[in-house]
Amino acid sequence: RYFRLAIPALVSILFAGALLHAFPLGVHRLKVLEPHAWLSSSFDGNTPGIWTMVRAGLVSTFASNATPDNSALNFNQVLWTMRIEFGGSVAIYLIYGLGPVRWRWVAIGAFTCIALASNHFVYMSFVMGMLLRENRERLPRRLGWAALVAGLLLGSLWPDVADRTYLPHLSGILELGLGNGFFAVVGASCLVLGVLVVRPVQTLLTLRWPQFLGRVSFPLYLLHLPMLLTVFAMVFGAIPTPVLICAFIATSLAAAYVATRWGDEPLLRILSRTKA
């Protein structure tokens, strides 16, 4: 699992580093035009060399917290999820691979307590995934559409939503619009539940374009932001925004397909041979 995540993370950092060296003024230009918290942690004309990139991809991505001084995030901010995904994956492997079936619920309960006690509510997404799996034959089909609507609504909450819509303020993991808090996990779980039980949605997701987007989703996730902060940042404002958006989407999908076809899928085939 480490290599499944670390190798794509390293490639994305090498890709981002190359673009940051080639277009060193892109991030600085965006900082002036559209200030954002992620931009403040991005390298801005001070991009380090190859060995820093390698260490960031293979070590910092997993060993450091998601903070601005994490060199992996200085290259590619979307990598903040990698440490969480790796930790949750290890927990799932331990729960399902090592312990007897009769102790599975105890292990899931223990993992839940650890996640809550350590104030890492985002790991509850793995708990919800395990609960959906364990109850996949008893999922409430009548609630499918309601779950989809609830998931879309909860997933559409943005930061500072309380201030802008006069909703009550909640603190900590209950903050509305928090990307790794209570409502984000509930919203994602509702979407998965709805997909599992609503047949028209399942049919829709089997069509060509949804299948293609699913196929390239991981490389698309890793590669889109470095291009946005460099190549497209340099032309931001110089060409009409609708044209820029269309060009960015097309370029991101093309890059993701290339990375999937000649990188990610061969990697999966190689790693699959290592399974016991």
Side-chain angles (χ1 to χ4, degrees):
R1 187 59 177 173
Y2 167 77
F3 290 108
R4 170 67 184 114
L5 298 175
I7 293 176
L10 173 60
V11 171
S12 78
I13 286 177
L14 294 174
F15 179 71
L19 290 178
L20 287 167
H21 278 291
F23 303 92
L25 300 180
V27 173
H28 178 74
R29 192 165 185 272
L30 284 184
K31 287 180 179 179
V32 176
L33 295 175
E34 296 287 341
H36 190 276
W38 275 16
L39 295 174
S40 64
S41 64
S42 180
F43 287 118
D44 180 7
N46 58 339
T47 309
I50 183 68
W51 294 115
T52 300
M53 297 181 198
V54 172
R55 179 174 57 83
L58 300 180
V59 179
S60 299
T61 301
F62 306 100
S64 304
N65 291 320
T67 56
D69 60 351
N70 182 334
S71 58
L73 302 187
N74 298 144
F75 287 103
N76 192 0
Q77 287 80 1
V78 303
L79 293 175
W80 73 270
T81 64
M82 285 294 201
R83 186 169 182 258
I84 297 168
E85 185 170 352
F86 181 68
S89 299
V90 171
I92 290 176
Y93 288 147
L94 292 175
I95 291 172
Y96 282 89
L98 298 182
V101 175
R102 63 180 180 274
W103 290 104
R104 185 169 296 166
W105 284 109
V106 176
I108 293 175
F111 179 65
T112 301
C113 293
I114 293 172
L116 295 177
S118 61
N119 200 32
H120 288 86
F121 193 83
V122 66
Y123 285 97
M124 289 300 296
S125 58
F126 296 94
V127 175
M128 296 303 297
M130 288 185 281
L131 292 178
L132 289 171
R133 180 191 184 278
E134 292 298 320
N135 295 279
R136 58 189 180 280
E137 302 298 333
R138 300 185 296 273
L139 295 177
R141 297 187 177 276
R142 294 181 179 180
L143 299 180
W145 285 108
L148 284 173
V149 173
L152 291 172
L153 290 176
L154 292 174
S156 300
L157 296 178
W158 59 89
D160 303 324
V161 64
D163 290 330
R164 301 181 187 185
T165 58
Y166 304 101
L167 292 172
H169 286 268
L170 302 172
S171 60
I173 62 174
L174 296 178
E175 180 182 349
L176 294 169
L178 184 65
N180 57 353
F182 172 80
F183 290 107
V185 173
V186 173
S189 302
C190 287
L191 284 177
V192 175
L193 171 61
V195 170
L196 290 174
V197 300
V198 178
R199 294 192 182 279
V201 175
Q202 295 174 3
T203 301
L204 174 65
L205 294 179
T206 62
L207 299 179
R208 182 177 180 179
W209 269 102
Q211 288 285 301
F212 171 78
L213 292 175
R215 179 186 177 190
V216 304
S217 59
F218 190 39
L220 178 64
Y221 167 69
L222 291 175
L223 299 180
H224 77 282
L225 188 64
M227 291 189 293
L228 184 66
L229 300 187
T230 54
V231 179
F232 288 91
M234 292 301 297
V235 296
F236 179 62
I239 61 177
T241 300
V243 175
L244 184 65
I245 292 174
C246 292
F248 173 65
I249 293 174
T251 304
S252 298
L253 289 174
Y257 174 74
V258 171
T260 299
R261 180 67 177 82
W262 285 281
D264 200 46
E265 291 178 341
L267 173 64
L268 287 175
R269 288 195 292 268
I270 294 172
L271 293 178
S272 66
R273 300 169 188 168
T274 66
K275 295 180 180 179

